[in-house]
Amino acid sequence: MIGKVLSSDIIKIRRTWIWLLIFLGPFGVVSLQAINFSLRYDYLTKLYADDLWGGLLNNVQYLAAPALLFGITLIASMIAGLEHRLKSWKQLLALPVSRFHVFTAKFALNLILLLSACVLLAAGSILLGAGLGFGWDIPWQRLFIISFYPFFAAMPVLALQLWLSIVMRNQAIPLTCGIMGTILSLYSIKMPDWMPLKWPHLVNAADVPEYSVLAGLAAGAVIYTASLVHFARRDVN
Amino acid sequence: MSEYIIQTQGLTKQYGARKAVNQVTLNIRRGDIYGFLGPNGAGKTTTIRMLLGLIRPSQGRIHIFGKDLHKHRMSILKKVGSLVEYPSYYGHLTGYENLEAIRRILDVPKSRIDEVLSIVRLTQDAKRPVKGYSLGMKQRLGIACALLGQPELLILDEPTNGLDPSGILEIRELIKSMPQQHGITVLVSSHLLSEVEQMANRVGIIQHGEMVFQDTIDSLHNRAQHRIQIAVSNPEQAFRTLASSGCSAEFNEESLVLDYMPDNKVAAIVELLVRNNHSVYRVEEKRQSLEEMFLALTREGSRQ
């Protein structure tokens, strides 16, 4: 049933800006790093002489975390906003489909879209490194970590943004929250470890990125469950 | 199985202290076109949303197809098609894609899309983006969406709202064809009695959240009062003439208006007028229009 709702949702985002956004996010991050590395090529290659790929990926990750949070905000708002703008929640929920499935399909759609963005980011990083002449000795594990871990660690943000976007008709509120979160996340490295906005940076006292991921997945599941319960019970006007 | 498709008991929805819908009892039979009438804000849409499970009643029970809506929501909604207020459509998609998005959820065969498109006569425009549709076409697309799942019950909330006369006529004909051609029971809401009168066989009138009338359209007609109107040369003098002989009447600029009376009494009054040198132009029996009755009924409700 979720599959049916999801395939219906995929039709709905045809010919929207959402697909372009999925491409633009990773493209922006990679091209900014391309500028960074091409302008300061000599300096940076000297700085990261021991581990050129590692240096590049760290730089990519540094930009990717806020871009990811901003992307989550925009995508969640666009997907929910589509239904708000057209006042189609009532039509959708009057169909023989449970609210659990409707909500979960929206969540899954966000996951799929943002995971595609992560894949694009990984691909873009490889192209950039190769283009900069760092060779083909790619640190796959590190690449996987910087491309996908921040997204898993950002699950609470995704769950929260999706809930806000679906519940609020006025998308200015979730957008403001999301943008504030994105800005805060720029400074979050200095914040304590329990701060969810810090998790996408994969920085913690123990220096184990998996801890940030696990915390993100757990908190994301809690927020998702709570918002699901709320969505299932609320009146649709 | 009960003969009622929709049955509600004591349906109430409370927002704070205000009861948007209060103790509403609806009885809709199979094959009915049920006109659900009331002025704007009377609780029609709230009631319809409760029937579709979009909002939870504060009190009361809803049975659709003889089953409790609360317990069997999914299996009931499978057989219900709905259009609540303005049609919801995805403007950037074509008419066909809009239907496809819903078809994927309903899981009906693809051929059904072409069927409903031809029922609402949108086949030729199916490949155009919906944002270029006229309001009437959007409304028809909304009805097509409602018909997609081959429903046994169609719930339409103000389907002719904002349409021009030809659009209204088109939707009305479409609705009228539902019970005969497709065996579909229809609940259609409107704030215009004249509108509902032309398609419904039963009506329910709601005012301030309470049902003030529920019966066949014929019995509504029968409740209409008959009056006698006599067009005379000088209504004011004629009124005095009648009054002096003990006959109560009202007058306006052109005529006298009397309560309904038997033929011989009408004859006596005409004779009286003629003897007193009034010219009698016309004697007419006037039926109170349903529109007036509707206003009277809803006004009664508002006094409570």
Side-chain angles (χ1 to χ4, degrees), chain A residues 159-174:
Chain A
L160 188 71
Q161 285 300 133
L162 186 67
W163 175 68
L164 282 176
S165 301
I166 286 179
V167 171
M168 307 257 175
R169 180 161 287 174
N170 181 355
Q171 291 299 302
I173 297 163

Side-chain angles (χ1 to χ4, degrees), chain A residues 8 12 14-15 83 93 235, chain B residues 13 73 90 92 97 101:
Chain A
S8 162
K12 292 176 196 167
R14 271 187 201 172
R15 289 195 286 281
E83 309 279 0
L93 296 175
D235 285 351
Chain B
K13 178 71 186 180
R73 183 172 159 271
Y90 304 94
H92 57 285
E97 285 167 335

Side-chain angles (χ1 to χ4, degrees), chain A residues 38-51:
Chain A
S38 52
L39 287 180
R40 308 193 289 164
Y41 189 80
D42 292 335
Y43 170 72
L44 288 175
T45 43
K46 206 177 288 171
L47 188 68
Y48 302 129
D50 296 346
D51 181 10

Side-chain angles (χ1 to χ4, degrees), chain A residues 27-236:
Chain A
F27 180 77
V29 169
V30 170
S31 37
L32 277 175
Q33 284 310 333
I35 294 170
N36 181 23
F37 272 81
S38 52
L39 287 180
R40 308 193 289 164
Y41 189 80
D42 292 335
Y43 170 72
L44 288 175
T45 43
K46 206 177 288 171
L47 188 68
Y48 302 129
D50 296 346
D51 181 10
L52 285 171
W53 273 103
L56 173 70
L57 293 181
N58 280 338
N59 272 281
V60 168
Q61 189 205 340
Y62 182 70
L63 272 186
L68 176 71
L69 293 180
F70 190 54
I72 287 174
T73 304
L74 287 183
I75 298 293
S77 169
M78 283 174 92
I79 288 175
L82 199 67
E83 309 279 0
H84 285 300
R85 207 166 52 245
L86 308 165
K87 303 203 170 67
S88 46
W89 285 113
K90 56 182 161 53
Q91 187 191 43
L92 182 57
L93 296 175
L95 294 172
V97 51
S98 81
R99 296 196 179 185
F100 166 76
H101 289 142
V102 169
F103 194 85
T104 307
K106 294 276 179 227
F107 194 83
L109 182 61
N110 275 279
L111 281 182
I112 291 170
L113 288 170
L114 290 160
L115 276 175
S116 335
C118 293
V119 172
L120 286 175
L121 180 70
S125 306
I126 295 176
L127 289 178
L128 179 60
L132 290 167
F134 293 174
W136 291 95
D137 193 10
I138 301 159
W140 292 105
Q141 195 190 350
R142 181 86 190 114
L143 181 73
F144 183 81
I145 288 176
I146 70 118
S147 304
F148 295 98
Y149 277 21
F151 178 50
F152 297 129
M155 274 309 142
V157 180
L158 174 59
L160 188 71
Q161 285 300 133
L162 186 67
W163 175 68
L164 282 176
S165 301
I166 286 179
V167 171
M168 307 257 175
R169 180 161 287 174
N170 181 355
Q171 291 299 302
I173 297 163
L175 283 176
T176 309
C177 285
I179 292 167
M180 298 264 286
T182 306
I183 294 170
L184 274 178
S185 81
L186 294 175
Y187 305 98
S188 61
I189 291 195
K190 297 194 186 84
M191 292 178 189
D193 276 356
W194 52 261
M195 180 71 189
L197 287 174
K198 187 178 180 180
W199 301 342
H201 292 288
L202 308 177
V203 175
N204 49 49
D207 203 21
V208 181
E210 282 77 10
Y211 286 174
S212 296
V213 171
L214 287 176
L217 289 175
V222 170
I223 297 178
Y224 167 76
T225 311
S227 48
L228 186 59
V229 169
H230 174 248
F231 180 73
R233 299 186 56 87
R234 79 189 267 275
D235 285 351
V236 181

